[in-house]
Amino acid sequence: MHALVIGAGPTGLALAVMLARDGHRVTVLERDAGPPPGGAEAAWASWSRPGVTQFRHPHLLLPAVFRTLRTQIPEVLDELTSMGLRPGNLLDGARRFGLLDEERPGDECFMMMDVRRPLFEAALDAVACRTAGVTVRRHTGVRALLAGRERVSRRPHVVGVLTADGEAVLADLVVDAAGRNSPVGRMLRDLGAPGPVEERDESAFLAYTRYFRAASGTEADVPLWPSAHYESVSTISCAGDAGLRSVSFFVSSQDRALRLLHREQAWDAALRLFPAEARWAGNGEPVTGVIAMSGMESRRRAYVVSGVPVATGIVSIGDAWATTNPLFGLGVSLGLLQATLLRALLRTRDADDPQRLTLGFHQVTEGILGRFHHHLGVWDRHRLAEIEGLSRQPPAVYEPGGPDWQFRRTLDTVKLRDPDILRAVAATAALLATPETAFSDPALVERVFALGRLAEQPWEPGPSRAELLAAVGSG
Ligand SMILES: Cc1cc2nc3c(=O)[nH]c(=O)nc-3n(C[C@H](O)[C@H](O)[C@H](O)COP(=O)(O)OP(=O)(O)OC[C@H]3O[C@@H](n4cnc5c(N)ncnc54)[C@H](O)[C@@H]3O)c2cc1C
């Protein structure tokens, strides 16, 4: 089979290597340039990736990424090791700060990586380019899909693509790995197909990040836990490679007052109000200005509507299929797991029948990954409503719509106070369990609520909203 992959992001490249290992011929077409020569630091300093707006934002590569690479493409880990990367464990911070006293069998499933994304992509690119059967063509954008008609449904059956230069490239299967702004929906509509059905949240988070080079003698080299949720903002503290670390503030897109965080002075003043994050930045020297990112709403596209594929001969994976709130750091995890699902399906007899392939892929994707996407989206909607209530004058405390949110919110507050609760939360971050399965034991749920009753407020202790607004200059 010849598979054509649109987009050389993490999902497209990982899929290409997996399919080539199964004996398929794979062509990856990517609009942007490839990594510049000169190794890891050149990739970070000068690789231009207009196709991926978040390219220089911190990326936690959580356990599902580590696990998938270790089992499917271990050479990527070797490549990263040669760049100086050391894998870590999601529980390292809790151990370092004395909250977990013992290592338990099974803790190794929380192995993860903190590496700057340009280095991660450069490692994937190096492995893809030397894998027999894979051709990566850069500076080659896809402009349109080529299609005939499927016999039964009369919907388009995609047989290849047209590049920006007008070249036709034919394939047995086209894989849309073109990311969050994938043009494939529009291209399908141009062919007379109805296009995918898109679920999209109206509000979302904005992110404001700075990187620091840790000062020598800075205490820990991992944060206690990557994310924390305060009254009006959430934060991510990310360890990078090469002594870099970053702090990101996530604010609601409706919260206009906090948009001043894009100014360095306002950002620095805000950081001083958050002791854990300020400690993490460790009086380090900033090595970037504030990197801002908007348009991060949760979104999912369905290419099978009422049981009928919108088109055959094409499937959509990674961010092109669904995006999630970056606060969870799960985008690459979902993309890589979805690549393994497609690989597995292509090993079955469904691969020979375009209808069955499209329906089968939709079914496994929705059945396995759709559940995670649903849980993450529900959390977003509640959390944004909570922040928006607290931003009003007078502030309105968000009354949870149901026990599910109350439980999830309580978990955020208490997870670092009990080793079993922490491991169950880590299992959800590792995509080893949904919140329902990780907390199927009623005794564990009761422990969550019992600890929650001891907490003074449902968010981490930090500055009040008035203090935060005063610091950023919009009080
Ligand atoms: C601020 C922010 C922080 C994040 N942090 C994390 C994190 O900590 N951990 C995590 O796992 N995830 C994180 N994510 C999510 C992660 O970035 C995405 O899930 C990931 O990039 C998806 O990979 P992908 O390969 O599916 O798509 P992309 O990385 O978007 O790649 C798509 C590729 O397709 C190319 N392309 C597009 N159109 C065409 C075309 N017409 N022709 C040819 N090529 C085309 C693009 O140039 C691009 O290279 C974050 C996202 C954001 C916004």
Side-chain angles (χ1 to χ4, degrees), residues 6-13 29-32 49-52 54 57-62 65 117 121 138 140-143 177-183 187 207 236 238 250 293-296 317-320 322 324 326-335:
I6 310 175
T11 315
L13 287 177
L29 301 183
E30 166 59 49
R31 210 169 31 191
D32 289 350
R49 288 286 270 124
V52 184
Q54 70 272 29
H57 269 272
H59 275 67
L60 292 160
L61 297 174
L62 286 173
V65 178
R117 173 168 173 154
E121 276 203 32
R138 305 240 175 211
T140 310
V142 169
R143 187 173 82 197
R180 57 180 47 234
N181 298 318
S182 166
M187 292 174 181
I236 293 259
C238 207
F250 281 76
M293 172 96 192
S294 58
M296 300 189 295
I317 68 170
D319 273 20
T324 48
L327 258 172
F328 296 106
L330 281 172
V332 179
S333 294
L334 289 167

Side-chain angles (χ1 to χ4, degrees), residues 410-439:
T410 309
L411 259 189
D412 286 328
T413 323
V414 307
K415 63 180 175 289
L416 291 165
R417 300 186 194 167
D418 180 301
D420 296 324
I421 295 173
L422 183 60
R423 284 186 174 86
V425 168
T428 65
L431 298 182
L432 291 168
T434 60
E436 280 143 7
T437 46
F439 289 93

